[in-house]
Structures are given as structure tokens and as C-alpha cells.
Amino acid sequence: MSNASEFPVITDLIGDTPIVRLQRMQEPGMAEVLLKLEMFNPGYSVKDRIGARLIDAAERDGLLTPGGTIVEPTSGNTGVGLAMTAIQRGYRCVFVMPDKISVEKQNLLRAYGAEVVVCPTSVDADDPRSYYSVSDKLAAELPNAVKLNQYENQANPLTHLETTGPELWAQVGGRIDAFVCGVGTGGTATGVGQFLKAQDPSIQIIGCDPPGSIYVTPEDIHSYFVEGIGEDFWPGTFQYDIVDRWITVEDRDSFRTAHRLAREEGILAGGSCGTALFGALQVARELGEGKRVVCLLPDSGRGYLSKVYNPQWLLERNLIDADEALEMVPNEAHELLDAAGVVL
């Protein structure tokens, strides 16, 4: 009989995510584009990396004690990362989400046994109804509760400085000209960026975000459909000057690029992955042949099937037109749709 200690627990599988090369979307004369696939983490996103680290730091500092409750504002992925470790260590989880987050991601957190509180998206960060404010209130009122606060907790960027950056550098053999990612809390961009710049200051760190985010349009902050990136306030986990350049990516371009990635490369990724890849393709065209661009794709597309991969949802929000909607539905399904009275 095998010794159980020979085998890992689920959180031991975090990290060491693969890098693959772009194939059909790689254009002649373009720099080589490599994709770091964070959906290969056990919770299917890059946020798995910080989940255990945030809990470790809170335990070390005496903020989280046995039987305690973790309260965290999240768009879903950080919640999963926290929940996996919390389950192993016996903590209760209460996650607070904006209402634009997909139903799949809300239900996913509930599947892990977490309690989910949904708040309005279109309010200011300091509004008492915002998911930031509500999480503060819950953390203060619930017994033995702590808000780990991925937006201010330095364990967030430190995780990427100590793990993601060195891992990526080793995988590409130290040959990289530009690193591209979306920016939410800023932890990934900051940690990976700091590590890469320490190895070679000439490496470009490119941040991609939607218009309406404080990072790219600070004079015009407003809501957008892409999830998990962009902010309406400045997180303490983000070192702004680590980013050499910003690329603003519209929701439409984010979602269409995610669709292309699935249809042309066989990689089902989230909408913010489309944001990052759209930017990476632009940078690769500019740098040209002989250069190398690494794009970090933060999560899987399985949490967005009712939105990003739903032509009806996209059409209703004017993110695609009717012809584009039909292109997303296999030809052999058109007659079935007509027979069922479904109009796209």
C-alpha cells in the first residue's frame, strides 16, 4: 500500500504553469508570442498563487486565528485561491463581489462552501454599497474575521516576485523582450515586472486595461464589461512606474480576441486574457521578427460561458453585430435555432 505522504494535496499543485507558443494567430514578421497559461493552476487562475500566501501572512501576523473567518472583495478568482487553502485549515469564507461578475463565478465560490455577497458595480469605491465598503463592514462586524485585502497586502506582489517571475524567466531561458499582462490589483505586473527588470532593465513591461480604468483613463473612470482587471482607485499593491507602457483595449476587442484564441488556438481563456493578448499582438507587430513577447493569461474561460462566450449576451450589449453573432454559432446549428424560434 502506498504511503499517503508520497502524494501532494491540492495546493501543492499551484505554480509551474506551462508556457506555449502561439501558432495560427502568429503573423509573418511578428515577434514570437509565448503564452503563460495560469489556468493550469488547480483553481484555474493566477490568483491561486496569492491565496495561500495571503493566509500564511495573516496567520504569521496573528490576524487570522483558528476557526476564523476570511472576508475578501473579489471578482471570483482570488476567492477560489483563498477557499482552497481555507478549506484545508478550517476557516470560514465570506466573499463580496460586484454584480457584473458572471453567475458561474458566483456559483463556483458557493461550490467551495463560501458565502457570497453581491453588491452593485456602478457605485464609487467609497460608496457604502460598494463591494470594497461592504467587505470592510463585514470584516469589522463578524466575529473573529479578517479582511486579507489583496489590494493592499504586500504578500500579493511578493508572491509574483518570488515565484511567478523566476519561474517564467527559467522557462524562457532568460530570453524575453516584453512581458504583457492585464492589471487589476497590480500584483502580477509589479512582482513579475520587478523580477524581470532586475535581470534585464531593457525588458518592457506592458500593462493592458479597459477604458474606464483609473490606470489608462484616470480622467474618465467608468464601468466596463471585462472582469478581473481595471480599477477605480489606486491599490497599494501596484507599483505604477514598473509599467513602461499602457495599451487601452476596448471590451469588444478583448472578447473577440478571446474568441479567436479559443477557435484558432484551442485555448479557452477568460475575457481579460483577450485584453492581454490583444495588447501582446500589437507589441509583437511593433517589435518584429527575432524578438520575443510573453503574455500572461490569468484564467480559464469556463467561468464566462454565459457572457464572453454567449453570442446573445454580446449582441445585447452591442459588443458584436448580428453577422458576428452568427459566425460564433456553428453553421449546422442555424436550422436548429430557427426551428426553436431563437433569434440572434
Side-chain angles (χ1 to χ4, degrees):
M1 181 178 293
S2 297
N3 185 339
S5 64
E6 296 175 5
F7 301 98
V9 297
I10 191 66
T11 49
D12 293 333
L13 304 181
I14 295 171
D16 293 323
T17 55
I19 289 182
V20 301
R21 59 186 172 85
L22 209 60
Q23 292 180 282
R24 293 179 61 189
M25 294 176 72
Q26 182 82 44
E27 302 164 9
M30 175 189 284
E32 179 184 33
V33 179
L34 301 179
L35 309 176
K36 186 155 179 60
L37 305 181
E38 289 297 297
M39 69 279 287
F40 276 76
N41 283 302
Y44 305 105
S45 90
V46 67
K47 296 294 189 175
D48 287 3
R49 294 180 181 268
I50 69 170
R53 289 290 194 104
L54 292 174
I55 291 176
D56 286 342
E59 290 176 339
R60 183 180 61 248
D61 295 341
L63 301 175
L64 188 57
T65 56
T69 296
I70 296 168
V71 176
E72 188 69 13
T74 176
S75 59
N77 289 330
T78 298
V80 172
L82 290 170
M84 286 192 299
T85 296
I87 288 167
Q88 294 178 349
R89 303 188 191 180
Y91 299 122
R92 172 191 180 193
C93 289
V94 178
F95 297 129
V96 188
M97 311 179 77
D99 58 12
K100 78 172 186 177
I101 302 303
S102 69
V103 173
E104 293 99 319
K105 290 169 78 174
Q106 295 178 33
N107 289 338
L108 178 63
L109 293 178
R110 294 185 179 104
Y112 280 97
E115 298 161 66
V116 177
V117 178
V118 180
C119 302
T121 298
S122 299
V123 295
D124 293 336
D126 57 358
D127 188 292
R129 298 166 296 167
S130 78
Y131 78 123
Y132 310 112
S133 299
V134 170
S135 63
D136 284 337
K137 183 176 177 63
L138 289 173
E141 293 183 354
L142 291 174
N144 199 18
V146 61
K147 179 177 176 178
L148 301 182
N149 200 353
Q150 60 176 316
Y151 300 96
E152 297 294 333
N153 196 317
Q154 294 308 305
N156 177 352
L158 185 62
T159 298
H160 297 292
L161 175 65
E162 295 179 345
T163 68
T164 318
E167 183 182 306
L168 185 158
W169 181 256
Q171 288 172 307
V172 300
R175 191 167 78 79
I176 172 176
D177 298 286
F179 173 71
V180 183
C181 66
V183 183
T185 65
T188 301
T190 298
V192 174
Q194 287 176 341
F195 180 86
L196 294 178
K197 289 287 191 181
Q199 312 311 307
D200 182 354
S202 72
I203 296 172
Q204 295 183 52
I205 307 300
I206 314 294
C208 300
D209 247 27
S213 165
I214 195 170
Y215 300 137
V216 293
T217 55
E219 73 290 344
D220 182 24
I221 300 172
H222 57 79
S223 62
Y224 35 84
F225 291 112
V226 69
E227 297 178 19
I229 55 174
E231 292 297 347
D232 54 5
F233 68 101
W234 294 102
T237 46
F238 181 42
Q239 181 184 330
Y240 188 83
D241 61 4
I242 202 70
V243 174
D244 297 299
R245 174 186 174 188
W246 290 94
I247 296 177
T248 307
V249 184
E250 299 281 351
D251 284 323
R252 170 185 169 85
D253 292 324
S254 294
F255 298 151
R256 288 188 60 81
T257 304
H259 274 265
R260 285 192 64 197
L261 184 63
R263 296 295 181 89
E264 299 179 36
E265 302 287 341
I267 300 172
L268 187 68
S272 66
C273 297
T275 306
L277 181 55
F278 184 89
L281 292 171
Q282 180 176 321
V283 172
R285 293 185 192 102
E286 295 168 358
L287 290 181
E289 200 167 354
K291 300 294 186 178
R292 175 179 282 173
V293 177
V294 178
C295 177
L296 185 140
L297 302 185
D299 65 356
S300 166
R302 294 187 179 190
Y304 309 90
L305 297 180
S306 67
K307 298 177 71 174
V308 178
Y309 293 97
N310 178 2
Q312 189 73 45
W313 185 88
L314 295 169
L315 190 62
E316 289 171 353
R317 288 152 184 81
N318 297 314
L319 295 169
I320 58 174
D321 59 32
D323 289 337
E324 291 169 325
L326 288 172
E327 288 177 8
M328 294 178 182
V329 181
N331 291 332
E332 61 270 22
H334 291 175
E335 291 183 5
L336 295 175
L337 290 172
D338 290 339
V342 177
V343 178
L344 294 179

